[in-house]
Amino acid sequence: MKIKLLAVLAVTSIALHSAALADSCPNCGLKNRSDDQACALGKTPLSRCETLGEYLKSDKELNSAYRKLTKQLDSPSLTVLKKTQREWIKWRDEKCEAAEVAANCTNGVCAGVNHDNCVVELTEKRTMELTEFAKKIPNAQASGFTFEKKYE
């Protein structure tokens, strides 16, 4: 009796988890980086759909922090910030590609996991930097709005 109950609970749990994943990304086919993935990732830097919701939230916060900061800057500082932000995006994408390669995961279950987790994490960290810049504009201007390349 206990074994049957445990089996029913396990199947129910798996079904509920699968349904929750499907609801979080209704356009997803496979939730990995394989070529036949049918997921509406749009212009995101992600490779998997499972991280899409988390990324969209962190990207929205990043954009909000960026906009708040830009409203406080003069034109020359704004030019520097835009240039630095483009450099940060390129650096983030390269760093996250390297994280994926270092993970050495080529199967469909874990492919893209390290990459996408890296993208979300670095996006959140850059948001914190931009938020701090907005609190200390002179320091931010003096630093050229640089990003910390050491954060892991």
Side-chain angles (χ1 to χ4, degrees):
M1 181 70 172
K2 286 183 183 179
I3 293 174
K4 286 183 181 180
L5 181 58
L6 287 174
V8 168
L9 288 173
V11 169
T12 303
S13 176
I14 291 168
L16 289 173
H17 181 69
S18 297
L21 287 175
D23 289 343
S24 68
C25 189
N27 297 323
C28 292
L30 299 175
K31 292 172 175 52
N32 61 41
R33 198 175 195 170
S34 58
D35 292 334
D36 57 351
Q37 176 172 280
C39 184
L41 291 173
K43 295 181 180 181
T44 73
L46 301 179
S47 58
R48 301 166 65 249
C49 200
E50 289 178 313
T51 318
L52 183 60
E54 191 177 354
Y55 169 74
L56 291 176
K57 180 180 180 272
S58 66
D59 188 57
K60 182 178 179 180
E61 291 168 356
L62 175 76
N63 290 325
S64 176
Y66 182 85
R67 277 191 304 278
K68 285 178 186 174
L69 178 58
T70 62
K71 290 177 182 177
Q72 300 177 57
L73 300 178
D74 57 22
S75 183
S77 295
L78 186 56
T79 300
V80 172
L81 174 63
K82 287 178 181 179
K83 179 180 181 280
T84 304
Q85 195 64 10
R86 282 191 291 274
E87 290 169 359
W88 174 80
I89 291 168
K90 182 179 181 211
W91 172 81
R92 177 201 61 191
D93 293 348
E94 289 171 357
K95 183 162 179 66
C96 293
E97 282 297 321
E100 181 65 17
V101 170
N104 197 27
C105 178
T106 57
N107 70 44
V109 176
C110 67
V113 172
N114 279 358
H115 173 271
D116 291 359
N117 288 343
C118 173
V119 168
V120 171
E121 182 179 333
L122 294 182
T123 300
E124 291 170 350
K125 288 182 179 181
R126 183 62 175 165
T127 301
M128 291 188 310
E129 287 177 337
L130 295 177
T131 301
E132 287 303 309
F133 287 154
K135 293 177 185 175
K136 300 175 185 173
I137 297 295
N139 294 351
Q141 290 168 319
S143 76
F145 305 97
T146 57
F147 49 95
E148 178 61 58
K149 291 185 179 182
K150 293 183 251 179
Y151 46 55
E152 298 293 328

